[in-house]
Amino acid sequence: MLSESFGHKPYGLVRSGGSAEHCGYLPLSFVQSRLFGRFLVSQPYLNSGGVWTDHESVAQELVDEAVSLADSLEVNYLELRHEAPVSHPKINHVRTDKVHMRLSLPETSDALMSSFKSKLRSQIKKAAEKSFSAHWGGAELVPEFYHVFSINMRDLGTPVYSIRLFHSILRHFTDQSEICVIRLSSRPVAAALLVHYENSTEVPSASSLRSSNPMGANMWMYWQLLQRSIDRGARTFDFGRSSVGSGTYKFKEQWGAKPFSACWQYYVRKGTPDEMRPDSPKKKKLIEVWKKLPVWFTRWIGPSVVRGIP
């Protein structure tokens, strides 16, 4: 999917043994661009990645292989998006500034509503008084989703992903993924991608038009997403990553989401991963410029830019 959407070369490192506990897997993508450099990442776009194994020695062997691959590809750094750290002598940089925000779901929507604080319940009920309508589907809703998503990304100063990514997700995960579009008088004002797996639901991408937020479009959409997740049998809703104390952190926290650790580990060969952070001085200037570009232009040039960002 990532190779198809971004053009990244995939690598899959495998360790197999006599028992399941001695098996392991490390998916990697080779990300490169003239603008940013060369990187080996597990995995871009996704919040979690890295080594998949229950055995420490297997994890060590897989990271050994990844380090060797990083050297042979002459990347700036190897990035492993772990939730729990893996001990390895070549790991020389760690990021723990973000957390996964996850909400434990009850069996019914009524029970979830009852768990909210009165202020949140009031906001949801007030939004419900507007003429919002929720629409669920697949590829047929991608144009409306992408319309909202690309405007929101421009407003945030972030290059937008290619529309191919979302078509690819829906095609490869037909039964697990779906699009939600919130309309107001037939006009899309908010939209999200949901991915369901086992007993969990994740929202990898969600956006709303800023003009609609005073009416509660974003609040009403998330209430629809949570109800849908419960209907699909989910017991955990993953809001995605946020920096502790940020605006997105507080938004997710008000729904009852709790922080879970995210530990991104690096084997840095040159430069520093901090150069790619949006709060670096150079990136701050680029973000402010991007916010002023026409949306049509960001949709055209954005995918070619963002594909090179690890």
Side-chain angles (χ1 to χ4, degrees):
M1 180 191 73
L2 296 176
S3 174
E4 176 183 292
S5 304
F6 294 107
H8 302 329
K9 184 175 181 179
Y11 291 89
L13 308 183
V14 180
R15 274 287 176 271
S16 58
S19 61
E21 68 173 8
H22 286 86
C23 294
Y25 180 59
L26 174 53
L28 295 159
S29 292
F30 178 39
V31 180
Q32 63 176 328
S33 74
R34 293 181 180 178
L35 185 60
F36 299 110
R38 300 156 67 91
F39 311 92
L40 194 58
V41 186
S42 181
Q43 287 277 33
Y45 179 67
L46 305 179
N47 288 320
S48 295
V51 175
W52 294 87
T53 184
D54 294 325
H55 203 277
E56 185 176 349
S57 65
V58 174
Q60 293 273 331
E61 293 173 4
L62 289 169
V63 176
D64 281 340
E65 279 196 59
V67 166
S68 296
L69 181 60
D71 287 336
S72 66
L73 293 173
E74 299 183 334
V75 299
N76 295 39
Y77 56 74
L78 163 70
E79 178 179 276
L80 303 172
R81 300 185 175 185
H82 292 136
E83 295 196 22
V86 170
S87 178
H88 193 279
K90 287 290 187 176
I91 299 295
N92 53 14
H93 187 86
V94 178
R95 281 188 62 186
T96 57
D97 54 299
K98 292 184 180 290
V99 292
H100 300 281
M101 296 298 288
R102 293 167 180 155
L103 171 65
S104 295
L105 297 173
E107 294 186 358
T108 67
S109 299
D110 288 342
L112 180 60
M113 178 66 83
S114 297
S115 72
F116 295 153
K117 293 181 179 180
S118 58
K119 180 180 178 181
L120 179 58
R121 292 199 302 270
S122 176
Q123 288 176 309
I124 296 171
K125 291 176 182 177
K126 185 176 180 180
E129 295 173 358
K130 309 298 181 183
S131 300
F132 295 123
S133 58
H135 304 267
W136 296 90
E140 75 280 3
L141 292 181
V142 169
E144 287 181 286
F145 163 86
Y146 197 71
H147 169 78
V148 175
F149 180 70
S150 59
I151 292 174
N152 187 54
M153 290 298 100
R154 191 285 308 270
D155 291 344
L156 292 172
T158 304
V160 69
Y161 295 116
S162 168
I163 196 172
R164 291 195 305 272
L165 171 65
F166 304 104
H167 278 296
S168 181
I169 292 171
L170 292 164
R171 183 168 58 255
H172 287 283
F173 301 96
T174 306
D175 297 328
Q176 292 89 12
S177 61
E178 57 182 339
I179 295 286
C180 175
V181 171
I182 304 301
R183 296 174 187 157
L184 179 63
S185 301
S186 75
R187 184 173 66 94
V189 294
L193 167 68
L194 280 190
V195 178
H196 310 279
Y197 53 96
E198 296 181 352
N199 295 319
S200 299
T201 293
E202 183 175 358
V203 54
S205 300
S207 297
S208 61
L209 300 181
R210 295 190 176 188
S211 59
S212 69
N213 284 338
M215 295 180 285
N218 201 38
M219 300 297 295
W220 199 76
M221 177 178 70
Y222 268 89
W223 174 235
Q224 305 309 308
L225 302 182
L226 290 167
Q227 290 183 93
R228 185 72 163 195
S229 303
I230 290 174
D231 291 343
R232 292 282 300 244
R235 289 295 169 261
T236 301
F237 186 87
D238 193 330
F239 283 87
R241 294 183 308 120
S242 291
S243 299
V244 177
S246 66
T248 58
Y249 179 95
K250 293 175 181 177
F251 174 83
K252 298 165 186 178
E253 187 180 40
Q254 72 180 330
W255 295 93
K258 304 297 182 184
F260 291 80
S261 65
C263 181
W264 288 19
Q265 297 181 283
Y266 299 82
Y267 164 51
V268 181
R269 300 182 67 255
K270 55 185 176 181
T272 169
D274 292 338
E275 294 174 351
M276 300 304 299
R277 293 176 59 164
D279 56 358
S280 68
K282 184 183 294 186
K283 294 299 182 294
K284 281 185 176 180
K285 292 179 181 179
L286 292 174
I287 287 171
E288 291 307 311
V289 170
W290 198 269
K291 290 179 179 179
K292 298 174 183 178
L293 297 176
V295 174
W296 69 263
F297 185 73
T298 63
R299 288 173 181 159
W300 175 56
I301 197 174
S304 62
V305 174
V306 77
R307 70 170 299 279
I309 300 176

